[in-house]
Amino acid sequence: MVSFASTLPSLISLIPSPSSISNASRHPPQPGMICCKFGSELNNEDRFHRRDILQSVGAAVGMDLIARSSTFIEVANAADLIQRRQRSDFQSKIKLTLYDAIKANPDIIPSLLTLALNDAITYDKATKTGGPNGSIRFSSEISRPENKGLDAALNLLEESKKVIDSDSKGGPISYADLIQFAAQSAVKSTFIASAISKCGGNVEKGTLLYSAYGSNGQWGQFDRIFGRSDAQEPDPEGRVPQWDKASVQEMKDKFKAVGLGPRQLAVMSAFLGPDQAATETLLASDPEVLPWIQKYQRSRETVSRTDYEVDLITTVTKLSSLGQVINYEAYTYPPRKIDVTKLKL
């Protein structure tokens, strides 16, 4: 690093000392000598002002600080890149583990979706409590009527968590993150399954179709919400409807309470019970929800299914962040130090 403080001596040397001024008056100039005027002999044009010295010093110090801060920023950026890579690698392992678990148990998908919804929709805007905090893992919460039948999904995630944690260098995954990423994997599975179905059951062609026209690139914001903290106690009762018994108005009221409307309710129909068609038939009875149900049903019949998939991803992303303070350093760890003296060249 270049230090601009080294320019200071050249500036300071221009300032005359009192002794040099007095000596100059006692020794007249000799022929061939170059003379400099000091003190009272200087006019206003020749005088080197104290303010000029201070400005020069300030500029030099400022340039030196900029140079030093640039190096600090470079080090900070390097550390940030390392942490991002660590989190990205860990997230990839999580997704792979969940993908394998869901592929082996496809019938569990509806329960995984409802599990994620019920964990998130406990959010209360007035008290800023609840939300996707993993509280549904507690036995007193998973056993509530609205969570009936979801314990199998939770058990599957418990097994997946053991696999994920055993290979983690940055600590165990939180249940809050695990539940939401399981929902993401489940949703992706339904998207790919639909593409395969459109290709007559050909897995290779269906996967290619989804890669070409699907919505996989829309998950960026969801993936960044990674580092949720686990609740240490169950969320209060009475915050989640029993979806199979609730009226459409009750569902609308609950979605409205967390900042969502009829559009989001319609697109989340697969999260509200194991039979999406039956759920949509019920929702279609409401004039506010009907247009959205029709819109998404038409979208699912197209090759790309863009409207349905993008809106579903957007809604899932919003639900998965309700009331959460994300720790963007979660799952990072100090990189392994290398002893350069032991390297063989």
Side-chain angles (χ1 to χ4, degrees):
M1 181 179 69
V2 178
S3 173
F4 291 93
S6 60
T7 60
L8 294 180
S10 62
L11 293 172
I12 296 173
S13 64
L14 294 176
I15 305 174
S17 65
S19 61
S20 65
I21 296 175
S22 60
N23 289 337
S25 62
R26 289 196 298 268
H27 299 282
Q30 301 296 324
M33 293 180 63
I34 297 175
C35 301
C36 298
K37 295 182 290 184
F38 296 102
S40 59
E41 297 179 14
L42 293 172
N43 57 34
N44 288 335
E45 294 181 357
D46 296 328
R47 189 178 302 276
F48 201 92
H49 291 283
R50 178 172 174 267
R51 181 177 59 189
D52 297 326
I53 295 292
L54 293 176
Q55 288 177 341
S56 299
V57 172
V61 172
M63 293 294 287
D64 189 54
L65 289 175
I66 291 172
R68 293 176 186 274
S69 64
S70 297
T71 301
F72 174 78
I73 291 171
E74 290 173 3
V75 173
N77 287 341
D80 184 55
L81 288 174
I82 292 173
Q83 290 185 340
R84 288 186 185 184
R85 179 61 182 269
Q86 290 172 349
R87 284 164 56 85
S88 177
D89 289 347
F90 185 49
Q91 193 175 109
S92 296
K93 292 176 182 177
I94 293 168
K95 292 180 180 182
L96 180 60
T97 301
L98 291 171
Y99 172 80
D100 290 341
I102 292 171
K103 185 178 180 180
N105 300 272
D107 293 340
I108 207 75
I109 287 177
S111 295
L112 287 173
L113 300 180
T114 305
L115 184 76
L117 172 62
N118 286 8
D119 190 48
I121 211 161
T122 57
Y123 179 63
D124 180 66
K125 294 172 71 174
T127 60
K128 299 188 184 304
T129 58
N133 55 19
S135 65
I136 201 168
R137 73 187 189 277
F138 290 110
S139 59
S140 59
E141 185 168 337
I142 193 66
S143 61
R144 293 173 185 170
E146 65 267 22
N147 296 325
K148 183 179 179 181
L150 301 183
D151 48 355
L154 185 60
N155 291 338
L156 179 70
L157 296 189
E158 291 276 11
E159 294 303 313
S160 297
K161 190 177 190 303
K162 293 177 183 177
V163 176
I164 293 168
D165 291 349
S166 67
D167 194 36
S168 173
K169 298 178 182 178
I173 185 174
S174 67
Y175 282 91
D177 278 337
L178 180 65
I179 291 169
Q180 297 305 315
F181 273 89
Q184 180 198 44
S185 294
V187 168
K188 281 186 177 182
S189 295
T190 65
F191 290 172
I192 295 173
S194 175
I196 292 172
S197 176
K198 282 182 168 59
C199 293
N202 188 304
V203 175
E204 183 178 354
K205 289 183 178 180
T207 304
L208 183 62
L209 175 65
Y210 178 68
S211 299
Y213 296 100
S215 55
N216 196 47
Q218 301 295 321
W219 288 102
Q221 181 58 32
F222 180 95
D223 288 341
R224 283 189 286 274
I225 307 171
F226 185 44
R228 303 170 184 82
S229 298
D230 280 339
Q232 299 306 307
E233 60 184 8
D235 283 336
E237 294 188 59
R239 294 187 177 184
V240 183
Q242 288 184 246
W243 304 112
D244 59 338
K245 296 182 179 180
S247 67
V248 179
Q249 187 60 51
E250 288 173 329
M251 296 183 194
K252 286 166 58 179
D253 290 344
K254 184 58 198 178
F255 270 62
K256 183 178 180 180
V258 296
L260 303 175
R263 178 177 186 170
Q264 290 75 31
L265 177 61
V267 82
M268 291 286 289
S269 59
F271 285 65
L272 303 174
D275 190 341
Q276 185 176 15
T279 301
E280 290 189 340
T281 299
L282 174 62
L283 294 175
S285 65
D286 186 278
E288 288 186 312
V289 187
L290 174 61
W292 298 109
I293 292 292
Q294 294 173 332
K295 175 184 176 72
Y296 296 132
Q297 286 176 342
R298 289 193 300 268
S299 178
R300 291 199 297 268
E301 293 172 359
T302 65
V303 173
S304 64
R305 301 173 19 125
T306 301
D307 288 341
Y308 171 69
E309 292 190 4
V310 171
D311 281 8
L312 180 55
I313 292 170
T314 301
T315 303
V316 169
T317 299
K318 183 170 183 178
L319 276 167
S320 72
S321 63
L322 289 174
Q324 297 304 294
V325 177
I326 305 301
N327 175 13
Y328 291 101
E329 295 183 356
Y331 313 120
T332 61
Y333 51 91
R336 184 169 61 90
K337 294 182 179 180
I338 300 175
D339 187 351
V340 295
T341 62
K342 297 182 179 180
L343 293 177
K344 295 182 178 179
L345 301 178

